[in-house]
Amino acid sequence: MVPHPEGTRPSAGEILLVEDDESLGSILAAVLQDQGYRVALASNGKEAIDYLFTGQRPGLILLNLVMPAMNGWKFHEQIKQVPELAEIPVIVLSGVGNLQRKAAALGADESFAKPYNLKVLVDMVRQYCPPHGVGGADDLVSQRPGP
């Protein structure tokens, strides 16, 4: 059982991006920053869990499925055990075969196959999590959660 996160609170305009491809994660974070989002980066599910249990509660999680340490399936299984985290929308971003079927079985809200159209992805992100406003350097929280 996953421990209960202390002091979680929803953060409009904040996204947790769980992606093991550093280049892709950086590009997507920059695009989202330009759209007015704050982005926390995690390179696997374990880092993402650690981040969520610091009390952070993003408005949306963008989740890759195939990653080292803890994959997206295991990560999603863990957060579904905590009601405050289970209600955070999840968009799966992956190159796995039969993605729509696998994302639906996972319980994800949406899925995008890699490579994906950034404009369409950003439009979908906006439907689940409105941005802070005009993007800028102060709007980006780009970090790799603790060790």
Side-chain angles (χ1 to χ4, degrees):
M1 182 75 169
V2 176
H4 192 277
E6 296 298 325
T8 57
R9 66 199 187 310
S11 298
E14 185 171 318
I15 295 172
L16 174 58
L17 173 57
V18 190
E19 172 61 64
D20 65 325
D21 182 328
E22 222 173 299
S23 297
L24 182 58
S26 295
I27 290 168
L28 186 51
V31 167
L32 292 167
Q33 172 193 3
D34 288 345
Q35 298 299 314
Y37 291 96
R38 291 184 184 152
V39 180
L41 292 167
S43 64
N44 60 60
K46 182 175 178 345
E47 285 184 7
I49 290 285
D50 291 346
Y51 175 78
L52 291 171
F53 283 89
T54 65
Q56 301 300 314
R57 185 165 167 215
L60 178 68
I61 297 171
L62 298 177
L63 178 65
N64 186 9
L65 293 177
V66 181
M67 298 175 290
M70 180 187 287
N71 65 37
W73 289 281
K74 185 68 174 171
F75 166 79
H76 199 258
E77 178 184 305
Q78 298 259 329
I79 68 167
K80 285 298 182 189
Q81 295 178 30
V82 181
E84 293 83 4
L85 300 178
E87 64 191 38
I88 300 171
V90 174
I91 297 177
V92 170
L93 309 174
S94 186
V96 300
N98 298 313
L99 178 60
Q100 287 184 334
R101 183 178 56 79
K102 289 177 181 175
L106 179 76
D109 295 280
E110 300 287 343
S111 63
F112 282 86
K114 293 180 182 179
Y116 38 80
N117 179 315
L118 285 175
K119 182 187 180 329
V120 175
L121 177 60
V122 168
D123 288 346
M124 181 60 63
V125 164
R126 275 194 201 109
Q127 291 180 25
Y128 286 93
C129 182
H132 281 286
V134 178
D138 292 340
D139 288 334
L140 179 66
V141 179
S142 182
Q143 61 187 22
R144 296 260 178 212

